[in-house]
Amino acid sequence: MCPHASALVVPSDDAICSLCSPAYDNLGVRVHNGVGTLRVWSTNATAIELVVFDASDTDWAIATVPLFPVGEDVWEVRSELLVHGARYAIRVTGPSGAGNSFDPTANLLEPYSRGITKGGGPSDWRSVVVDGSFDWGGVHKPRTKWDDTVVYEGHVKGLTKRHPDVPPALHGTYAGLAHPAMIEHFLSLGITAVELLPVHAFLSEPFLRQRGVGNYWGYNTLGFFTPHAPYASRDARRAGADAVLREFKGMVRLLHQAGIEVILDVVYNHTSEGGPGDPRTSLRGIDNARYYRQQPDGAYIDTTGTGNTLDTAVDAVGRMVLDSLRYWADEVQIDGFRFDLATALGRDARHEFTPEHPLLQAIRTDPALQGTKLIAEPWDVGMGGWQTGNFGPGWHEWNDRYRDRVRNFWLSDIDYARRASVAPVGIGGFATRLAGSSNTFSEARGPLASINFVTAHDGFTMRDLVSYNVKHNEANGEDNRDGAETNRAFNHGTEGPTADPVIEATRRKAMRNLFGTLLLSAGVPMITAGDETGRTQDGNNNAYCIDSPLTWLNWDHADWQLALRAHVARLTRLRRDNPALRPTHYARLGEETRGASDMLWFDQNGQSMSVERWTDGANRTLQYLAVAEEAESHNRVLLIIHGTETAIDVHLPAVPDVTGYVSLWSSADERPTEVETMHRPGDVVALPGTSMRLFRAE
């Protein structure tokens, strides 16, 4: 029986889901007893041949061997030439006409290649047969629970390129990322999972190369089964594809040994082949009409904004994605995946999104992926592309509604209030996000379905968010036309750097408020690397093509940056130590729900919030008591949020069985204090404008 049958509509227990057809088993190269077998899928090909190249000269073809059809559009050949280390390509012949793009002279990458090396031309590549053996030394995946997870999104190169304690030979590499200095950084900050921008082999787009720059972020995949070789150390690159893969696995092993999970940002929605006029490197030459979404006349249907979109409504294409995930989760021991433009993966044969798409369901239910963290970026640029909240059980999603509401509350609403004397909205929508976005995610999925974030690689850094009103992307060479126009940012009085101590202090407090909200909200928090020390990109909100100190983390920090980092570390520790901040389910009124935190809401006078106060822009002060009352955990915390720039006195609420409140954290402090002060119900606490306080209820 198909392992995904329980998640799909099937006619009988003996049904096999289309993605699991045995015909698609063992695609790519498998070596057994010194003989390699190559299997390639193509519906429209009329001939396929294997081309094997000299070990030292990748332009010298030493043999060509034909593949033969073996049924279900699969072609196969067995050859003693396909040994570990062999460099090879395939050439595919087929009909001309709408939708097809065959060229029998083109050397193409085999889609399941575990290793890739350069050929002679700028768009010329060779597949490499890789020996994937590796000694994991008894180290296993950490399997961190979702409610304990704190995600740290970063770039392999940018994280370590300037780190003074990482050896120069390892700067910007996989090995550098797992250096003890980096592991100490992650652990001291309270990070449980590192989410890496794309590390599948990728290319820079032709238009970027013409401008003399490259694709720094990596969202332009060349091969779905191969680690990006330029991120390996020089010694590993010189040694070849086997050594690159070993270095990658060594990074994973060391991070796992420290209890840190590795999540990959994966790009299965499109490939680096771009639009129809761009270079042919693999899928386009193997079977353009089947791998890519097209109109009947062969025009591409592009829901990704990159020139092409993989057609995951085709079973073999969906199976390729699934096989890639299985490979990384099993053989490379990856803990989770963040799916770029995931809506594109869930589009059916009519190009419409459905959460019941066989690929989405197969990913969720595949035995090899059980326990793997699945995170969707729940949108693409096609019709009906925005799907936040709609990916269904088993999926977790980047919550852009959370991002926008939090930015509005602490930044653009404050900007508006300075000009109009009152904020445009009250605190109700913000409170909903703080409590886990129950208006976006179903009760069955709960608050942990929400990946909460305020910033990401795409957009302003947190420091720039509080320092600029508009984007400044001139360095990208596109006349500042690229990047988002709407940022919900606030420069607090002047655009960019300033020597004004009042503005600088206000900006620092705004960052502390944003971090306090992020790390004290129900859901799963994601921190963008460098935000914890106030990294700036000089107002660039789309630095995808900038590979320079502008995008690399700077590890030389001023006192205020170290103080901000101390706040973040304190907040992650408070989150870990207080289960009431990490509910796994939504509470239901009048019911006792395991894993939920009961939530009580009070105004600044310690009284229950009235309906009017939730929506009144003049009343943006809220006290939020979260209560976890399970047998193994009795925990209560009080969070006070004050969202106007006028100072206020707050009366702590009188709640049955609460005898006092222990102060744990304040965003008004330039540096977090370890001193815990006790307050009684009814006591008055003075809060400065736009600030937060956290207490433990005794």
Side-chain angles (χ1 to χ4, degrees):
M1 179 177 173
C2 168
H4 308 131
S6 61
L8 302 168
V9 178
V10 294
S12 73
D13 287 342
D14 295 325
I16 297 177
C17 91
S18 53
L19 267 65
C20 294
S21 170
Y24 307 138
D25 290 349
N26 298 319
L27 292 174
V29 171
R30 297 291 188 277
V31 178
H32 182 66
N33 291 334
V35 178
T37 300
L38 169 65
R39 287 165 54 83
V40 178
W41 178 86
S42 176
T43 296
N44 292 304
T46 56
I48 302 178
E49 63 180 7
L50 164 69
V51 185
V52 181
F53 296 87
D54 182 75
S56 58
D57 185 350
T58 55
D59 287 328
W60 181 15
I62 60 173
T64 59
V65 185
L67 278 71
F68 299 95
V70 293
E72 302 291 333
D73 299 327
V74 173
W75 299 67
E76 181 177 296
V77 65
R78 297 181 73 240
S79 173
E80 294 181 354
L81 296 172
L82 287 173
V83 295
H84 290 137
R87 290 155 171 79
Y88 68 100
I90 56 175
R91 294 173 183 162
V92 184
T93 302
S96 60
N100 293 316
S101 185
F102 293 105
D103 179 354
T105 68
N107 294 315
L108 304 172
L109 282 174
E110 181 264 301
Y112 281 66
S113 303
R114 267 47 167 183
I116 294 175
T117 192
K118 198 73 183 67
S123 301
D124 202 17
W125 301 89
R126 304 288 181 260
S127 300
V128 181
V129 181
V130 170
D131 178 2
S133 60
F134 185 78
D135 181 5
W136 289 96
V139 176
H140 301 289
K141 295 182 180 183
R143 301 290 187 188
T144 306
K145 296 188 300 181
W146 271 110
D147 57 307
D148 291 329
T149 297
V150 178
V151 178
Y152 189 75
E153 187 205 35
H155 187 284
V156 169
K157 182 175 183 179
L159 282 166
T160 64
K161 181 63 177 174
R162 303 174 74 183
H163 200 301
D165 296 329
V166 173
L170 301 184
H171 280 171
T173 68
Y174 300 124
L177 187 66
H179 187 273
M182 290 303 300
I183 289 175
E184 190 279 332
H185 169 70
F186 300 140
L187 295 178
S188 66
L189 202 58
I191 301 305
T192 71
V194 177
E195 181 177 307
L196 300 177
L197 268 65
V199 295
H200 288 173
F202 65 85
L203 295 180
S204 294
E205 294 85 344
F207 77 92
L208 290 177
R209 296 198 298 269
Q210 290 169 6
R211 296 211 314 259
V213 295
N215 187 324
Y216 175 65
W217 287 349
Y219 293 89
N220 204 42
T221 307
L222 175 68
F224 295 122
F225 293 79
T226 306
H228 191 57
Y231 291 160
S233 62
R234 180 178 297 181
D235 287 347
R237 296 197 307 271
R238 286 174 173 170
D242 284 355
V244 170
L245 181 58
R246 282 196 301 272
E247 182 174 316
F248 191 100
K249 290 180 177 180
M251 172 194 72
V252 175
R253 180 177 60 191
L254 288 171
L255 290 170
H256 282 178
Q257 200 167 37
I260 300 168
E261 294 186 309
V262 181
I263 298 172
L264 301 187
D265 194 335
V266 287
V267 187
Y268 294 114
N269 55 77
H270 76 281
T271 76
S272 61
E273 290 188 302
D278 288 324
R280 174 195 297 105
T281 57
S282 183
L283 304 181
R284 178 173 292 139
I286 296 172
D287 199 338
N288 184 61
R290 299 293 281 155
Y291 278 104
Y292 294 115
R293 293 188 181 273
Q294 300 179 26
Q295 302 285 5
D297 63 358
Y300 276 12
I301 297 172
D302 179 13
T303 71
T304 66
T306 64
N308 68 66
T309 304
L310 277 184
D311 192 353
T312 54
V314 174
D315 294 336
V317 179
R319 175 62 179 270
M320 178 179 66
V321 173
L322 189 62
D323 284 344
S324 173
L325 293 169
R326 290 167 169 171
Y327 170 72
W328 290 97
D330 182 17
E331 295 191 36
V332 193
Q333 291 290 286
I334 293 302
D335 304 279
F337 303 94
R338 179 267 189 189
F339 294 82
D340 180 64
L341 300 183
T343 296
L345 303 183
R347 291 184 179 272
D348 60 20
R350 298 187 301 272
H351 315 296
E352 298 172 355
F353 175 79
T354 170
E356 302 303 319
H357 192 287
L359 176 58
L360 298 183
Q361 294 294 338
I363 292 171
R364 180 178 68 83
T365 60
D366 193 274
L369 300 177
Q370 293 308 292
T372 300
K373 289 179 164 64
L374 306 175
I375 303 171
E377 183 185 37
W379 52 80
D380 66 11
V381 300
M383 291 292 292
W386 187 69
Q387 294 291 336
T388 306
N390 295 333
F391 270 72
W395 285 90
H396 303 255
E397 303 174 33
W398 272 25
N399 190 348
D400 57 319
R401 291 180 173 181
Y402 176 94
R403 174 201 63 199
D404 293 349
R405 177 63 70 177
V406 172
R407 288 187 181 191
N408 282 348
F409 186 82
W410 290 117
L411 300 175
S412 57
D413 286 0
I414 303 302
D415 181 23
Y416 183 97
R418 283 192 182 183
R419 292 179 280 107
S421 300
V422 66
V425 296
I427 203 168
F430 176 84
T432 300
R433 298 301 165 193
L434 188 73
S437 297
S438 61
N439 59 344
T440 299
F441 300 100
S442 68
E443 182 177 313
R445 298 179 69 190
L448 296 179
S450 177
I451 304 298
N452 296 334
F453 68 107
V454 177
T455 66
H457 67 277
D458 185 1
F460 279 145
T461 67
M462 191 175 289
R463 181 176 174 185
D464 289 352
L465 199 61
V466 303
S467 304
Y468 295 89
N469 280 350
V470 296
K471 64 182 183 179
H472 296 268
N473 297 356
E474 290 81 6
N476 296 356
E478 300 177 37
D479 298 322
N480 207 33
R481 294 188 303 268
D482 62 305
E485 299 291 345
T486 301
N487 297 286
R488 295 174 167 84
F490 180 33
N491 66 19
H492 292 87
T494 190
E495 189 75 353
T498 179
D500 187 319
V502 174
I503 292 177
E504 281 293 276
T506 305
R507 288 174 173 176
R508 292 194 297 270
K509 179 153 61 72
M511 286 190 281
R512 296 193 293 269
N513 287 330
L514 292 168
F515 265 121
T517 304
L518 175 64
L519 292 168
L520 301 178
S521 292
V524 180
M526 185 187 80
I527 298 169
T528 304
D531 275 353
E532 72 277 8
T533 50
R535 184 177 75 90
T536 181
Q537 290 181 168
D538 297 340
N540 192 321
N541 75 351
N542 189 39
Y544 75 103
C545 60
I546 307 296
D547 184 0
S548 77
L550 183 74
T551 51
W552 306 336
L553 266 63
N554 185 349
W555 296 89
D556 183 14
H557 301 134
D559 287 345
W560 74 265
Q561 293 175 296
L562 296 175
L564 179 60
R565 187 189 187 285
H567 273 282
V568 176
R570 179 67 179 273
L571 286 164
T572 59
R573 177 160 57 87
L574 290 170
R575 180 182 183 85
R576 182 189 66 225
D577 293 345
N578 291 278
L581 296 168
R582 301 180 280 104
T584 58
H585 296 84
Y586 295 124
R588 284 178 277 187
L589 189 63
E591 296 184 27
E592 189 172 310
T593 304
R594 182 173 178 82
S597 292
D598 291 329
M599 299 171 186
L600 303 175
W601 309 91
F602 305 95
D603 61 20
Q604 67 264 33
N605 299 314
Q607 304 299 311
S608 294
M609 284 286 287
S610 64
V611 174
E612 295 77 17
R613 284 186 176 274
W614 286 113
T615 57
D616 185 356
N619 292 285
R620 287 163 55 92
T621 305
L622 176 68
Q623 301 189 74
Y624 160 52
L625 185 69
V627 182
E629 295 277 17
E630 295 183 6
E632 66 275 14
S633 172
H634 179 83
N635 178 239
R636 294 176 290 186
V637 293
L638 177 72
L639 180 62
I640 306 177
I641 301 104
H642 176 50
T644 68
E645 291 195 291
T646 303
I648 194 172
D649 288 338
V650 173
H651 296 258
L652 299 179
V655 178
D657 299 328
V658 172
T659 59
Y661 296 97
V662 178
S663 178
L664 301 176
W665 176 78
S666 171
S667 70
D669 295 336
E670 282 286 348
R671 184 177 292 274
T673 176
E674 294 295 329
V675 177
E676 296 183 350
T677 57
M678 175 67 79
H679 303 262
R680 296 184 180 279
D683 282 357
V684 175
V685 175
L687 265 71
T690 54
S691 61
M692 303 175 69
R693 288 285 297 271
L694 181 70
F695 300 84
R696 183 178 65 249
E698 299 286 345

